[in-house]
Amino acid sequence: MIGRTARSLSLGMVALLGVGTLTAAAAAPEPPPAQESAPVAAKVAQGNQWDVRAVKGGYQLTLRLDAPAPMRASLPLLVVDGRPVGVAKQSANRKTLTLTTADPAVLKARDVRLVWSGDLGKQAAGQSRAIPAPGPTDAYWLKARSAPLLPADPGALGKYKVDTAEYNLGDEAVNLPGLGHRSEVRGKVYSPRGAVGPRPLVIFLHGRHEACYGDPTHPSENEKPWPCPAGMKAIPSYRGYDGAANALASNGYQVVSISANAVNAWDSDAYDAGAQARAELVLDHLALWRKWSTVGGGPFGTRFVGRVNLQNVGLMGHSRGGEGVARAAVLNADRGGQYGIRAVLPLAPTDFARTTVPGVAMSVVLPYCDGDVSDLQGQMFYDDTRYAVDGDTAPRSTVTVLGANHNFFNTEWTPGQSVAPSDDDWSGDAKQAPCGAKYAGRLTAKQQQAVETAYVAGFFRLQLGNEKQFVAQFDGSDARAASAGKAVVRVVSQAPLASRRDLNRFDTPLPAGAVSGKASATVCAGVTPPSGSERAATPTCMKTDDWGNAPHWGAGWFASKTQTVAVTKLAWTGTTGVVRVAVPSGQRDVRRFAALTFRAMPDPAGTPKTDLTVRVVDGHGRTAAVPVSAVSDALVRMPGANAMGLPKNLLRTVRIPVASLKGVDLSDVRAVELRTDRVASGSVFVSDLGFSSPGLGLSAPAVLLPKLSASNVTVKEGDKGTKLMDFWVSMSRPSLRPVSVYAQTNGDLGETVGEFARQLVFKPGQVRQKVSLPVTGNTRDSYDLKFDLVLSKPHNGLLNESFGHGLVQDDDPTPTLTLGNLTTVEKAGVVNFPVKLSAPSDKYVGFSGVLKDGTAVLRKDYTTVDDDGTGTVDRIVTGSIEPGQTTGDFGVKILDDKVKEPTKTFSLVMKEVDGAELKLPRTLTGTITDND
């Protein structure tokens, strides 16, 4: 549950997607069920496909869809009257979505919709079906600049034949912490035939997709989603990466692609959407391979003894699997680095909790036409990890692939290739630029898979195999693999520390005098929705109601208040503007570096194309000037019109070879200037200026970093006043340098618990900090409140137990419900049985009973309040008492027939009560006195 975090989102940031036909609460009720149907909890509000009911734990919000909701990497949210309330749980057939909240706002719900977290702001509902006008730079990107080909093709098959095998230890072979269910242990193995000695191991982990396909033999709404019900088969998502696996194995690498269907089936119940469970599954497979490669056993006997190097391991994770492998690398370091995980590649990943992955080489693949994780939140892995640890020696990069969607990286998620039904996750007209299926810039499935093979294989061959011929593929120079074909790919790179000299990150204000002429430089972070939001301490970079437009500044769903990357906005109104970055003494000799680099992009509120001059000044005042447009298209807006999450506003690489800086003394560089002399006015964002050279650096588990954990806390609410609920955020050991971490509450806090969102800074030697939350007591019966204290984006530390679980136990007695018999006259119309609560409650008290005829007959003498006289009447009567009240409604309708009759009676047999004490069964009597 997201609670107040989600409530801060504006209506303008909601994508109205995946919605059934919905009505306001005042609409006609659902068709009546069969007579004498089982009683249910009282409805608070309803439409024709949704309702709100009083249940234990608060109010259960249920949305029913005409067709199953897709199983996506993004989180399924229920939105009430335009405001996200929380993450929903899906039924086994995914046609029913439910969540329980203590938020009383749902009592007045008028509209309920399904929205995916990656789609906030897409505004798909109500949009015209006409093809949007082309974006102003679409034509450029169809013929975008290209770099030279790599000297070797990482996607090409190598000298080894590839042997494949599978292992299956059962559908419920291992218990996964963080999931609460058992998982399959199943994998496909790719081995280089004839290779000798221990070889690097690469684990592939697929993402969130349907677990089973086919028709169940005995369909049931309550069928468990895993193991697959009788009549259905498991979807073999783990078999979907043959291209990259074969390319690696044929070049001497061991690859294992593992199945995670159980996690997909159950992760809607997980507090972190399954990241911990996926990480534990990876580590469980590594434990098996440690055994099989040392003492043997299992399905392979001694076949792999001495053949696998567990100290040279890479992890690739697709979709939610990307977050899973990032977490696995951190957990491995937390646990002493028992496996040598040295390289991690999140492929179209989620990043709900803003973790960092220090110490290991990382490359994040971002498909530009991702229709699932549409906000490209994996960008934050790069942004958050760049400077997460002082002295980090590992390289990292992002790889943005134009024309690629989310699903086609896996052949088992691709139409025409998969054994189970699958689809193109990008929606919209087939001819729509730049992502429509028939648009010239869109990659076919096979083209996209060729790009995947080239970059997955190239990354692990570079990082695990030290195959330096692939350095240029990931250094930001955009060198191309021949097998990637026509794909337009843009790489942003942070060279390892030993290979770079940072001049200015542009994340803090520039010193006085650094900006001159008709120019200004302002540090910014985050976005401002047009409909308004809280004012941030740091100015926001752009206005948008669509998080898909702003991958650098979208909020991680479980850590939405954690600061996003800060950059400098350079704006100018003349050609005299200069931003001058001085090079400190002792750092002026740059001859050993290959390039001057920074990240940049045009301001989305400005023109789609702009330019700057980069000028380097030496100690004698001599200069060398290079237009950005001569070396990079970073200042060309990316393709797409302002619709469907496009264009993406992504910082890209400006890379100026040092060798091209003719006429200056490279041993005595005094300043680097950004000059506005090429365009009369404009604005751009800039970040991460420095000199660098390509390099492999040093990659290894960051075992020396202190580990940060949040405690679990349970308190009783109390009867009056406010007390403090104390969490402890602790480090595993003292540090000689400051360590920081963001902490925030996440969950439905109701009116009982106060919010918290702050960066905690640990001074050298300090190992604990207290986070105190105010808890307001009362004497009213209410629900227990469950929520989390989430740690994110650490600096100089690792996340260990990053979710601290909080529980505020209600300690007030449940009030007693008193019911009375009804005596009324025939002309009374709608009347209520007397109901009274012994004390006000914070709960919505609901109760129900079944009408039984006596001398009075249903629909002749009396009926239910909602009976319109058509169809079969439902004999169930529901009643309720609103929170804070002691009386409520429990009504029936008395029918006046204008015929003189004796007094008649009927009964109301109580079947169910929620939120109050009442001994059941209890029979009430209704007496009708004739008025004729």
Side-chain angles (χ1 to χ4, degrees):
M1 202 66 60
I2 303 305
R4 292 184 181 180
T5 296
R7 291 177 212 160
S8 67
L9 299 175
S10 66
L11 174 60
M13 300 185 74
V14 176
L16 306 179
L17 299 178
V19 186
T21 304
L22 304 173
T23 65
E30 295 170 320
Q35 190 171 349
E36 300 284 356
S37 59
V40 293
K43 292 179 183 177
V44 180
Q46 69 183 75
N48 70 344
Q49 288 185 274
W50 60 268
D51 61 57
V52 181
R53 299 176 186 269
V55 297
K56 292 181 179 180
Y59 313 110
Q60 180 175 284
L61 180 60
T62 302
L63 174 65
R64 300 171 186 84
L65 304 178
D66 293 328
M71 183 173 280
R72 290 180 50 175
S74 291
L75 295 172
L77 315 177
L78 289 186
V79 172
V80 174
D81 299 334
R83 179 176 51 79
V85 174
V87 179
K89 295 181 180 179
Q90 295 176 313
S91 63
N93 65 7
R94 302 197 312 282
K95 294 175 69 173
T96 302
L97 297 100
T98 61
L99 63 81
T100 300
T101 176
D103 184 355
V106 300
L107 299 176
K108 299 180 180 179
R110 297 184 59 81
D111 182 78
V112 177
R113 298 175 184 255
L114 165 64
V115 175
W116 297 96
S117 61
D119 296 339
L120 288 174
K122 273 191 174 179
Q123 301 289 354
Q127 277 191 345
S128 169
R129 289 188 173 272
I131 301 176
T137 63
D138 290 353
Y140 169 82
W141 288 104
L142 283 176
K143 299 180 180 179
R145 69 166 69 232
S146 59
L149 290 175
L150 290 163
D153 188 351
L157 295 178
K159 65 180 181 180
Y160 297 102
K161 298 292 185 180
V162 178
D163 292 327
T164 61
E166 294 198 9
Y167 58 95
N168 183 357
L169 305 188
D171 286 339
E172 296 180 290
V174 63
N175 185 57
L176 295 181
L179 191 68
H181 295 275
R182 299 186 70 82
S183 170
E184 81 271 29
V185 173
R186 185 177 302 166
K188 183 173 182 180
V189 184
Y190 305 77
S191 305
R193 184 187 304 170
V196 297
R199 44 194 177 254
L201 173 65
V202 183
I203 301 287
F204 289 176
L205 174 65
H206 67 81
R208 193 169 195 261
H209 193 69
E210 287 87 349
C212 308
Y213 72 104
D215 297 320
T217 305
H218 304 288
S220 170
E221 287 286 336
N222 299 318
E223 190 77 59
K224 292 182 178 180
W226 184 264
C228 292
M232 302 188 75
K233 296 180 180 180
I235 293 181
S237 294
Y238 67 101
R239 296 175 181 162
Y241 305 105
D242 281 352
N246 282 317
L248 281 167
S250 68
N251 282 282
Y253 296 76
Q254 181 87 352
V255 180
V256 180
S257 185
I258 67 175
S259 178
N261 280 334
V263 185
N264 289 341
W266 295 111
D267 66 359
S268 64
D269 294 328
Y271 60 86
D272 63 352
Q276 178 85 5
R278 290 181 172 89
E280 298 282 4
L281 183 62
V282 169
L283 297 179
D284 285 338
H285 279 268
L286 284 173
L288 287 172
W289 280 96
R290 179 171 56 187
K291 177 182 177 182
W292 295 342
S293 64
T294 53
V295 299
F300 302 118
T302 61
R303 176 179 173 184
F304 294 111
V305 172
R307 300 296 183 89
V308 180
N309 183 358
L310 270 297
Q311 293 306 310
N312 197 13
V313 175
L315 306 178
M316 185 280 282
H318 182 195
S319 189
R320 287 199 193 179
E323 195 165 8
V325 298
R327 182 70 179 140
V330 173
L331 279 183
N332 178 60
D334 286 339
R335 297 170 185 177
Q338 55 187 320
Y339 309 108
I341 297 174
R342 299 182 49 246
V344 174
L345 190 149
L347 175 66
T350 60
D351 182 13
F352 299 134
R354 300 286 301 280
T355 191
T356 59
V357 194
V360 302
M362 178 175 66
S363 188
V364 185
V365 177
L366 304 173
Y368 194 78
C369 297
D370 195 320
D372 189 345
V373 188
S374 309
D375 50 3
L376 302 188
Q377 56 193 257
Q379 172 65 48
M380 293 187 289
F381 279 128
Y382 178 90
D383 289 339
D384 292 347
T385 306
R386 292 170 306 146
Y387 306 112
V389 174
D390 298 338
D392 189 343
T393 59
R396 48 194 56 90
S397 59
T398 65
V399 178
T400 301
V401 184
L402 272 67
N405 73 351
H406 188 84
N407 286 352
F408 290 0
F409 290 118
N410 187 312
T411 58
E412 291 298 333
W413 299 5
T414 303
Q417 298 179 343
S418 60
V419 298
S422 56
D423 60 16
D424 180 349
D425 52 275
W426 185 267
S427 59
D429 189 277
K431 296 181 180 179
Q432 180 180 342
C435 296
K438 296 182 179 180
Y439 180 71
R442 177 67 190 274
L443 301 179
T444 66
K446 289 185 177 180
Q447 289 170 338
Q448 179 171 327
Q449 289 151 15
V451 175
E452 171 197 14
T453 294
Y455 281 86
V456 171
F459 175 71
F460 290 117
R461 290 179 66 181
L462 174 64
Q463 298 301 332
L464 302 183
N466 198 30
E467 298 190 55
K468 295 181 181 178
Q469 66 268 34
F470 303 121
V471 166
Q473 192 178 7
F474 298 95
D475 68 358
S477 61
D478 297 323
R480 297 177 297 122
S483 59
K486 72 171 188 177
V488 176
V489 178
R490 291 292 179 263
V491 175
V492 171
S493 173
Q494 184 189 43
L497 185 63
S499 301
R500 74 175 197 271
R501 178 172 295 164
D502 298 327
L503 295 182
N504 199 308
R505 300 178 187 177
F506 288 121
D507 58 355
T508 57
L510 293 167
V515 183
S516 61
K518 293 186 176 181
S520 63
T522 306
V523 175
C524 63
V527 299
T528 304
S531 51
S533 71
E534 299 175 4
R535 182 172 294 277
T538 302
T540 53
C541 294
M542 57 182 284
K543 288 188 176 183
T544 181
D545 58 0
D546 188 340
W547 283 3
N549 289 339
H552 295 284
W553 300 307
W557 194 255
F558 298 137
S560 63
K561 294 185 182 298
T562 296
Q563 186 182 38
T564 52
V565 63
V567 301
T568 289
K569 179 179 179 179
L570 170 60
W572 67 95
T573 56
T575 58
T576 60
V578 178
V579 171
R580 183 180 177 91
V581 177
V583 179
S585 176
Q587 299 184 23
R588 294 169 178 167
D589 188 346
V590 300
R591 288 174 295 178
R592 72 182 181 91
F593 297 107
L596 171 65
T597 65
F598 61 98
R599 294 195 294 168
M601 70 177 182
D603 181 354
T607 57
K609 293 183 181 180
T610 190
D611 206 359
L612 294 169
T613 293
V614 180
R615 193 169 79 157
V616 176
V617 184
D618 70 11
H620 298 285
R622 293 173 298 204
T623 65
V626 178
V628 168
S629 58
V631 294
S632 171
D633 49 25
L635 296 183
V636 177
R637 186 178 301 167
M638 300 199 81
N642 289 316
M644 299 297 290
L646 299 172
K648 308 295 184 190
N649 293 290
L650 284 165
L651 293 161
R652 282 157 283 141
T653 297
V654 177
R655 189 175 189 275
I656 301 172
V658 167
S660 70
L661 300 174
K662 305 296 185 181
V664 297
D665 183 356
L666 295 176
S667 69
D668 187 27
V669 171
R670 298 299 179 95
V672 176
E673 297 175 345
L674 303 180
R675 304 179 70 90
T676 68
D677 55 354
R678 299 192 61 81
V679 178
S681 64
S683 55
V684 298
F685 298 112
V686 292
S687 178
D688 300 328
L689 175 68
F691 288 94
S692 65
S693 294
L696 293 178
L698 295 173
S699 256
V703 296
L704 298 180
L705 293 174
K707 304 164 188 61
L708 291 151
S709 297
S711 63
N712 299 326
V713 185
T714 299
V715 300
K716 292 186 181 297
E717 175 192 76
D719 292 338
K720 61 181 179 180
T722 299
K723 63 180 179 181
L724 295 179
M725 181 179 191
D726 294 332
F727 286 83
W728 286 96
V729 178
S730 58
M731 292 206 305
S732 58
R733 62 166 179 81
S735 174
L736 296 176
R737 56 190 179 185
V739 175
S740 66
V741 68
Y742 286 86
Q744 83 165 65
T745 47
N746 181 71
D748 198 328
L749 307 178
E751 303 302 323
T752 301
V753 181
E755 287 185 293
F756 182 91
R758 199 174 75 214
Q759 187 182 30
L760 306 177
V761 179
F762 292 80
K763 298 177 181 179
Q766 186 179 10
V767 295
R768 290 209 310 167
Q769 288 202 46
K770 185 164 60 176
V771 173
S772 297
L773 307 180
V775 177
T776 303
N778 61 44
T779 57
R780 292 182 179 179
D781 184 35
S782 57
Y783 300 105
D784 292 346
L785 284 176
K786 296 180 180 180
F787 63 97
D788 296 313
L789 182 73
V790 182
L791 306 183
S792 61
K793 197 181 177 183
H795 181 247
N796 287 331
L798 282 178
L799 294 179
N800 187 14
E801 300 292 338
S802 57
F803 281 71
H805 304 301
L807 174 64
V808 179
Q809 295 176 327
D810 180 71
D811 54 5
D812 301 310
T814 302
T816 300
L817 180 65
T818 301
L819 302 172
N821 295 321
L822 171 68
T823 299
T824 186
V825 295
E826 194 176 66
K827 66 178 182 179
V830 175
V831 292
N832 285 294
F833 282 83
V835 295
K836 186 173 180 62
L837 208 57
S838 61
S841 173
D842 285 339
K843 297 179 180 178
Y844 184 97
V845 178
F847 34 90
S848 62
V850 177
L851 294 169
K852 301 288 186 182
D853 289 349
T855 54
V857 177
L858 187 70
R859 274 194 172 169
K860 178 181 178 184
D861 302 298
Y862 73 103
T863 191
T864 61
V865 173
D866 295 327
D867 181 16
D868 63 0
T870 63
T872 302
V873 67
D874 191 340
R875 286 183 174 268
I876 294 175
V877 176
T878 60
S880 62
I881 299 176
E882 297 280 348
Q885 303 299 313
T886 56
T887 60
D889 298 323
F890 199 27
V892 292
K893 185 191 298 182
I894 307 302
L895 304 178
D896 189 355
D897 57 10
K898 308 300 181 182
V899 178
K900 185 173 180 59
E901 298 173 300
T903 297
K904 295 183 178 182
T905 62
F906 63 94
S907 300
L908 180 54
V909 182
M910 300 301 299
K911 294 290 188 180
E912 186 177 48
V913 175
D914 184 74
E917 296 288 347
L918 178 68
K919 188 175 181 180
L920 296 176
R922 174 76 182 278
T923 300
L924 306 177
T925 301
T927 302
I928 306 173
T929 302
D930 185 66
N931 68 325
D932 297 306

